Amino acid sequence: AVDDTCREKGSAPASVLRTVRAYAEEIVPSFHAFAYYYLGSLVGLTIAWLLYRVRRVYADEAALAGIAPGSSLVFVMNHRSNMDYVLLGYLTRAWAPPSFAVGEWAGYWPVRPLVKAMGAYFVRRGSGNTLYRGVLAAYIQMSVEGGQVQAVYLEGKLSRDGNLQEPKVGILDYILRRFDPAGERDVVFVPVGVNYDRVIEDRSLVLDLVPGAKKKRGLAAKAATVRFVGRNLLLMVRGGWHRLGYAVLHFGLPISLREYVRSRGIDFRTLGPDLRASHVRGLAGELHGSVGRAVPALPVSLVSTVLVGDPERFYSETELKAEVEELIERLREAGARVYLPRTSVDYAVEVGLRSLVLRHLVLKDGGSYRAAPGEMTLLRYYASSLAHLRGREIPRA
């Protein structure tokens, strides 16, 4: 890449190498064990358990325990909230600290040194600079080959409408380009599905779907955050505060890259650009499907799905429970993971309704419930987290 840049721009090698060093210093983490295992874990634990009832479930715990020692782990995950970083980091600390790619939001002091100390690496999203991409690719390849645990959001960005987004293949392509099937380390992908009864930044995310809506910026955004914190602190003082519901990470079945390429008779190192791109997309599709199947259905998403299906209808609690139970049966028949607190459908509906009524997303009239007409965008957002499991998208209008 340095040679190509020198030829294209007529630059001196020493000058281009200085640019390479600057890119590397920008990208590469400055991991600090004390910051991660003590400060980071303490903060992560406090935030996670203060806000949510956090649960970790496994498709097959024995299969995860049976991953060959020395393998490079890559957690591939859907992206629902910025809390994903905290939860995955906290719940995987027994394996090793996962290294995330972070974008421009983490490019400023004091956030940048903090996230880099936690093992994150900085990425300029959408950069078309060939030299920069070469440095980034080299770092990711060396990191994986060295055994550093990676965490990759296949969607590349937060979901704005709640639906699982199409996969982005950039980082995945970097990992695959230099993979040696006969090498010392296997690369093992671990699908992770995450879902929340409440996404903290949900109203900001869905603004893109509301015609004419303007996002809060600067002081307005900070003021909204202060109001949110203030309201919840007031509820705590009054004794009416509940945590934001359940946050569940479901770890799916691991996928060995060594077995994947051997079963297909391919070696990514020897493929031409077009053929490699085709096979990268093929693997991305398989990983995307595994992540989608790992996304758990939670109380709020179950209740929201029923209410969105017939938004004009008033449901009794008994009718809602019957509809949710039928929905759960269909989801399970499709191979979906359903998380029922206390293994009770009745309790799950009660938890979902309590959360939605408190937020005024659902109207309660005596013993009947219906979707609040002015909150359909947000209800669809939560229902859409299950849309791929049901085989259809939630209509927006």
Side-chain angles (χ1 to χ4, degrees), residues 125-393:
R125 305 289 186 185
S127 173
N129 185 315
T130 303
L131 185 62
Y132 172 79
R133 304 303 292 187
V135 176
L136 176 62
Y139 165 70
I140 292 172
Q141 289 157 357
M142 293 171 70
S143 179
V144 172
E145 289 164 5
Q148 169 66 53
V149 176
Q150 303 290 315
V152 176
Y153 295 117
L154 276 180
E155 298 166 282
K157 61 182 180 180
L158 287 168
S159 173
R160 300 286 171 175
D161 59 6
N163 287 293
L164 196 63
Q165 309 297 298
E166 288 301 309
K168 306 294 184 183
V169 300
I171 291 177
L172 182 62
D173 182 36
Y174 296 154
I175 294 172
L176 299 175
R177 283 184 192 181
R178 284 197 339 203
F179 176 68
D180 182 0
E184 178 183 355
R185 294 185 190 273
D186 189 9
V187 173
V188 178
F189 297 100
V190 180
V192 183
V194 63
N195 209 351
Y196 300 84
D197 273 333
R198 179 172 181 179
V199 173
I200 294 175
E201 59 272 64
D202 55 7
R203 290 195 181 274
S204 297
L205 292 171
V206 301
L207 281 179
D208 286 348
L209 310 178
V210 180
K214 293 182 179 179
K215 291 191 175 183
K216 295 180 175 69
R217 302 187 184 277
L219 290 175
K222 292 175 182 176
T225 302
V226 170
R227 286 196 298 272
F228 170 79
V229 173
R231 281 197 301 270
N232 283 276
L233 287 175
L234 185 61
L235 285 172
M236 288 181 187
V237 172
R238 292 177 174 176
W241 186 79
H242 296 276
R243 280 183 286 184
L244 305 182
Y246 288 89
V248 180
L249 268 74
H250 175 219
F251 293 80
L253 295 173
I255 298 169
S256 163
L257 182 55
R258 182 175 288 161
E259 292 179 9
Y260 180 90
V261 297
R262 284 179 177 172
S263 67
R264 289 159 177 77
I266 59 175
D267 186 335
F268 284 98
R269 298 171 301 171
T270 64
L271 300 177
D274 292 340
L275 189 56
R276 188 184 74 241
S278 175
H279 281 291
V280 171
R281 287 194 297 271
L283 176 57
E286 292 204 21
L287 294 174
H288 187 256
S290 296
V291 170
R293 289 188 293 275
V295 174
L298 303 187
V300 165
S301 56
L302 290 167
V303 173
S304 296
T305 298
V306 171
L307 293 173
V308 164
D310 192 353
E312 302 295 327
R313 177 179 170 184
F314 282 88
Y315 292 85
S316 69
E317 191 167 328
T318 301
E319 290 172 331
L320 262 177
K321 289 175 179 177
E323 294 278 349
V324 167
E325 189 165 15
E326 184 179 333
L327 172 61
I328 289 171
E329 289 179 7
R330 295 198 302 269
L331 289 171
R332 285 177 169 163
E333 287 173 2
R337 169 69 64 168
V338 179
Y339 181 80
L340 293 178
R342 302 182 185 177
T343 65
S344 168
V345 174
D346 288 357
Y347 183 68
V349 172
E350 290 168 14
V351 168
L353 277 175
R354 181 178 64 196
S355 175
L356 294 169
V357 170
L358 282 172
R359 298 190 65 192
H360 307 293
L361 304 183
V362 169
L363 303 178
K364 182 179 180 181
D365 184 5
S368 297
Y369 302 87
R370 64 161 292 184
E375 297 289 1
M376 288 305 298
T377 298
L378 210 53
L379 282 171
R380 291 190 185 100
Y381 169 83
Y382 285 101
S384 291
S385 68
L386 309 183
H388 65 282
L389 299 170
R390 302 176 62 219
R392 64 176 186 269
E393 288 202 5

Side-chain angles (χ1 to χ4, degrees), residues 87-99:
L87 291 184
L88 186 64
Y90 167 62
L91 293 177
T92 60
R93 69 196 187 284
W95 278 298
S99 184

